[in-house]
Amino acid sequence: MAKDFFEATEESIRNLNQTERSLFDYVVKNIDAVKYMSIQKFAAEKFLSTTTIFRFTKKLGFVGYTDFINSLLVTAHNQQNIGLPNVVMGRDYREKYLKNAMEAVRVMSQRRVEDVVTLLSKKPNIYILTDNNTHTIGQYCERLFIGLGFHAYFPETAYQMRNLVNRIGENDMIMALSYTGQDVEMIDFINRVFLIKRPHLLSITRADNNSLESLSDINFYVFADEIYVPGMDLTSSVTMLMIVELLIYEYLAVLNQ
């Protein structure tokens, strides 16, 4: 029986080279499309040979390409069948909740982490943007960065955000936190800033080809079950906070070497 893709590749990710890591990121962001691709189609999409794709799937621990595809099908099916009963009852969801957090950390690209540390070492001004569901995390990040000696600012109203457009410089950093990556107000603000200056844009979003990710210099993605009740989005933001804290811990570790 085919295993969940993330469970099956848990031990293999750390051994991937840069090209293979890029392929892995592509698969994670495009599971719904890749699960129906032949090896020829996948190779053509990435401008690689079928031999390279086959070796990639073998290095992930699969017997072959068919085994790889079956794993994606199982994973996609499991994601589609998550409902509110699983959220509110039973040990299974608690394990899935923890698994989402572990996967978000596991797939963090070390190269991207190092790029963030390099940028933070230059002490940029940090402007934190959030959607409604990550507002509290934005407040926490502001206090965190200020406590570490950065000039950090979290605009909490549309008026405050509008006043930042002309203040952000090319050496500054925008940290944008949005699970969907499609927050209209956030995307509009970033586009208006980019018309004037081109600061560094770090984003944390879900694993798909969303608008925020496409604008970003560095993107980390998180896994969560989208949970809604009337009038409220209960999708977890815990993994987003974990990534921010891990980036800061990495920065402090380098700083103290």
Side-chain angles (χ1 to χ4, degrees), residues 181 187 198 201 203 208-217 219:
I187 299 299
R198 186 56 173 88
L201 176 57
S203 66
D208 65 0
N209 293 316
N210 57 76
S211 300
L212 181 56
E213 188 272 341
S214 67
L215 290 170
S216 302
D217 301 298
N219 173 256

Side-chain angles (χ1 to χ4, degrees), residues 71-134:
S71 180
L72 295 183
L73 290 169
V74 168
T75 303
H77 176 76
N78 289 342
Q79 290 174 342
Q80 290 169 359
N81 284 287
I82 294 168
L84 190 58
N86 290 333
V87 174
V88 298
M89 294 190 305
R91 182 177 301 174
D92 288 346
Y93 185 74
R94 293 198 295 271
E95 293 175 354
K96 182 70 165 62
Y97 183 87
L98 292 173
K99 183 178 178 181
N100 284 337
M102 289 187 291
E103 292 302 336
V105 173
R106 187 175 294 116
V107 301
M108 290 178 71
S109 163
Q110 185 59 31
R111 178 180 58 81
R112 293 174 192 166
V113 171
E114 291 169 359
D115 287 344
V116 174
V117 170
T118 298
L119 178 57
L120 291 177
S121 68
K122 298 176 182 178
K123 286 290 185 176
N125 297 320
I126 300 174
Y127 297 89
I128 302 159
L129 307 180
T130 69
D131 57 21
N132 289 335
N133 202 40
T134 54

Side-chain angles (χ1 to χ4, degrees), residues 7 10 18 20 24 29 31 43 56 73 76-77 88 94 102 115 140 155 162 175 181-182 199 213 238-239:
E7 180 182 348
E10 181 177 349
Q18 187 170 348
E20 292 161 346
F24 181 84
K29 291 185 178 183
I31 283 180
F56 164 67
L73 290 169
H77 176 76
V88 298
R94 293 198 295 271
M102 289 187 291
D115 287 344
Y140 173 72
R162 285 195 299 271
M175 175 180 287
Q182 302 290 7
E213 188 272 341
V238 169
T239 52

Side-chain angles (χ1 to χ4, degrees), residues 15-236:
N15 299 320
L16 301 180
N17 61 35
Q18 187 170 348
T19 298
E20 292 161 346
R21 186 59 189 236
S22 176
L23 285 172
F24 181 84
D25 289 352
Y26 175 80
V27 171
V28 170
K29 291 185 178 183
N30 300 278
I31 283 180
D32 285 338
V34 176
K35 68 183 181 183
Y36 295 121
M37 288 183 184
S38 66
I39 191 170
Q40 292 82 8
K41 174 66 174 175
F42 189 10
E45 285 287 324
K46 301 305 295 178
F47 302 99
L48 296 169
S49 68
T50 55
T51 301
T52 299
I53 300 300
F54 182 77
R55 288 174 179 168
F56 164 67
T57 61
K58 293 281 285 184
K59 195 165 182 179
L60 286 177
F62 297 105
V63 175
Y65 191 77
T66 299
D67 188 27
F68 163 74
I69 290 297
N70 287 338
S71 180
L72 295 183
L73 290 169
V74 168
T75 303
H77 176 76
N78 289 342
Q79 290 174 342
Q80 290 169 359
N81 284 287
I82 294 168
L84 190 58
N86 290 333
V87 174
V88 298
M89 294 190 305
R91 182 177 301 174
D92 288 346
Y93 185 74
R94 293 198 295 271
E95 293 175 354
K96 182 70 165 62
Y97 183 87
L98 292 173
K99 183 178 178 181
N100 284 337
M102 289 187 291
E103 292 302 336
V105 173
R106 187 175 294 116
V107 301
M108 290 178 71
S109 163
Q110 185 59 31
R111 178 180 58 81
R112 293 174 192 166
V113 171
E114 291 169 359
D115 287 344
V116 174
V117 170
T118 298
L119 178 57
L120 291 177
S121 68
K122 298 176 182 178
K123 286 290 185 176
N125 297 320
I126 300 174
Y127 297 89
I128 302 159
L129 307 180
T130 69
D131 57 21
N132 289 335
N133 202 40
T134 54
H135 185 87
T136 303
I137 293 179
Q139 294 173 323
Y140 173 72
C141 288
E142 181 185 45
R143 293 196 300 271
L144 197 59
F145 281 111
I146 289 175
L148 292 172
F150 289 89
H151 294 288
Y153 188 69
F154 171 52
E156 299 199 40
T157 66
Y159 173 77
Q160 291 174 326
M161 186 178 288
R162 285 195 299 271
N163 286 341
L164 289 179
V165 171
N166 295 312
R167 284 176 49 185
I168 300 176
E170 292 183 354
N171 296 320
D172 295 337
M173 182 176 81
I174 296 175
M175 175 180 287
L177 311 176
S178 171
Y179 178 72
T180 66
Q182 302 290 7
D183 185 83
V184 174
E185 185 177 7
M186 183 186 297
I187 299 299
D188 178 67
F189 172 80
I190 291 170
N191 281 324
R192 285 190 287 124
V193 171
F194 282 4
L195 287 174
I196 303 170
K197 296 286 177 63
R198 186 56 173 88
H200 305 280
L201 176 57
L202 163 66
S203 66
I204 304 176
T205 68
R206 67 185 177 190
D208 65 0
N209 293 316
N210 57 76
S211 300
L212 181 56
E213 188 272 341
S214 67
L215 290 170
S216 302
D217 301 298
I218 303 171
N219 173 256
F220 296 97
Y221 42 81
V222 294
F223 305 95
D225 303 318
E226 296 184 30
I227 304 168
Y228 303 94
V229 297
M232 184 177 296
D233 181 357
L234 293 179
T235 303
S236 175

